[in-house]
Amino acid sequence: MTNEVVIVGAGPVGLFLAAELALNGVRPVVLDRLPGRSGEQKANGLVGQVIRLLDHRGLHQPLRGTPGAPKPVPRFVFGAFPLELHRLAANPLHAMPVPQHRIEEVLEARALELGVTVLRRCEVTGFTQDPDGVTVDLQGPDGARQLRTRYLVGADGGRSTVRKLAGIGFPGVTSPDPVSRIAHVLPPEGLRSTDDGEILLPGCPTPFRPYTHTRTEHGVFVIAPFNPEAVMIATMEWGGPPVDEADPLTLDELRASIRRVTGADLPLTPARTAGPFTPRRTVGHNTRLAERYREGRVLLVGDAAHVHAATGGPGLNLGLQDAANLGWKLAADLRGWAPPGLLDSYQSERRPVGERVFMHSQAQTALMAPGPATTALRALVGELIAHDDNLARIAALMAGSDVRYATGCSHPLAGGFAPELALDTPDGSTRLAELAHSGRPLLLDLTGGTLGLADRAAGWKDRVDVLAADCAPAQPPAGALLLRPDGYVAWACAPGEADREGLDRALRDWFGEPRI
């Protein structure tokens, strides 16, 4: 039996890709070498456009735990600079605190609900590919075995076995600094809060804003009181005492680092709250990007394709959108309607986004380093961020909302992520995000059907949904939108300008030839 897709790695990116494929009629097999979800405390939340993407799949509410559409955050941080995003008339940056083990739990439940098979205790030991597919060698609970698949996807992290076996280079830069330490602890004694909500450490005159990076002359300090029973504390140090990476981080080591960075001596006690609160140390930064995202019938997503500093939390924003971009294109290829070059556009669209994340994550790390030169640079950057137009550019960079794919359409919305819209449809009031839950392409006439586009798209009705709606009382941002399954606008036209020839081109360019 030949599987259509085998995905290696049952982390958030692999599970989300599996669900995206399943929405498009492909039932992948997901392999993971671990016996179950790791529970390791990695990401503490989601940042950026990915939150709106998850809303398009009906996953925002399960992850957040409360109803309603995503709301931008009033404040965030860039390179230890506070970003007062509430100043912006149009704030693009979303953030949602949710631990990675919960993200994996929700995404695995969705994948299983859609019929995805997840095989654990299965480790890939090799593979060979030919023009028709890939034969994967596994070591599992019952010994060695093989799987045959038409496509193999590596979602197996920065040390990706799939990438290495495919012979795909992973060039980049490794730096020994900074050393990051993080742990969840009981609220330390002696903490005080100011009237402005900042936190004072005993013996330290500097106030620290919670949930953000604060640069001192000796490093960076972070404190995040997520709940009364668990406070996350982290430090970053440059040029500190040597550490043995083989030794686990102890609370005494973290306490000594806090003392060096802030001057405060904080007694630390492990958090009692149930959950993965193991102290963790990361030595240096590893910034690497795969030379290519595809080798024949083998593809890479997420950390298998790129690793970078975690500053600003861009990892899952980047990786989950990789999965959304690849999922529908791979399904289109397997279902036989993909236009020429569609699958190759996965790399041409997503690799530049990885390069952009590299740029801003490294820039943020540089802005947090100690030293008078950095202090001078920060003074200049601080002046720039004080202007709202520069603040908006930084917010868009962090959100990933400045990403624009080449579409051949000149409308301002084309190539970007779809705007949030409240709509009146024949079935009642809804939001655009709710119409996207199916994961199918969508042609949305925002004039209530007056543009007459439904007949034009009739040849694609097997793969493109068509709907007429009104934005009333708001002015529609376009007369019509053609949305890709990953939420990006493939084509748009102004109200009163149907541009039927442009629509025909876009339907063919992205969704293949019509079926009569």
Side-chain angles (χ1 to χ4, degrees), residues 91-342:
N91 175 9
L93 187 59
H94 297 77
M96 181 167 60
V98 54
Q100 181 159 325
H101 68 89
R102 174 59 181 164
I103 297 171
E104 291 185 11
E105 180 183 354
V106 169
L107 294 181
E108 182 172 3
R110 174 58 58 89
L112 295 176
E113 175 186 295
L114 292 169
V116 172
T117 299
V118 179
L119 301 178
R120 297 194 177 272
R121 297 188 179 89
C122 289
E123 187 167 2
V124 173
T125 58
F127 62 77
T128 57
Q129 61 171 312
D130 54 58
D132 299 318
V134 185
T135 301
V136 185
D137 300 319
L138 304 177
Q139 187 67 38
D142 301 321
R145 58 178 293 200
Q146 289 186 328
L147 282 180
R148 180 72 175 167
T149 181
R150 292 182 64 185
Y151 284 100
L152 176 67
V153 180
D156 49 342
R159 296 182 174 87
S160 172
T161 297
V162 173
R163 185 189 66 242
K164 294 172 183 176
L165 291 173
I168 297 175
F170 204 40
V173 177
T174 299
S175 169
D177 278 324
V179 176
S180 301
R181 299 172 175 89
I182 185 171
H184 289 72
V185 298
L186 290 176
E189 296 181 3
L191 295 185
R192 293 184 293 117
S193 296
T194 68
D195 293 340
D196 295 330
E198 295 181 317
I199 294 175
L200 292 173
L201 307 185
C204 177
T206 303
F208 295 94
R209 177 175 290 176
Y211 305 103
T212 190
H213 295 76
T214 302
R215 177 182 180 263
T216 74
E217 288 301 318
H218 305 285
V220 174
F221 179 74
V222 183
I223 183 165
F226 286 113
N227 64 61
E229 295 297 321
V231 175
M232 187 200 81
I233 290 181
T235 62
M236 295 172 64
E237 284 189 87
W238 284 255
V243 296
D244 187 340
E245 295 184 55
D247 293 337
L249 174 67
T250 65
L251 292 185
D252 285 341
E253 181 185 331
L254 177 59
R255 181 179 183 180
S257 179
I258 295 170
R259 189 184 306 115
R260 289 190 296 269
V261 170
T262 70
D265 189 14
L266 285 185
L268 302 178
T269 306
R272 290 193 296 266
T273 306
F277 300 115
T278 304
R280 186 172 75 251
R281 180 202 310 110
T282 303
V283 178
H285 280 162
N286 193 19
T287 302
R288 298 187 177 276
L289 185 67
E291 290 178 338
R292 55 195 180 278
Y293 284 15
R294 180 183 180 187
E295 177 63 32
R297 290 183 170 270
V298 179
L299 299 112
L300 305 176
V301 291
D303 288 355
H306 40 68
V307 294
H308 50 80
T311 308
L316 287 177
N317 191 20
L318 183 59
L320 291 174
Q321 289 201 79
D322 285 349
N325 189 290
L326 175 60
W328 71 275
K329 295 173 180 178
L330 194 53
D333 183 274
L334 290 165
R335 291 295 167 260
W337 58 257
L342 181 67

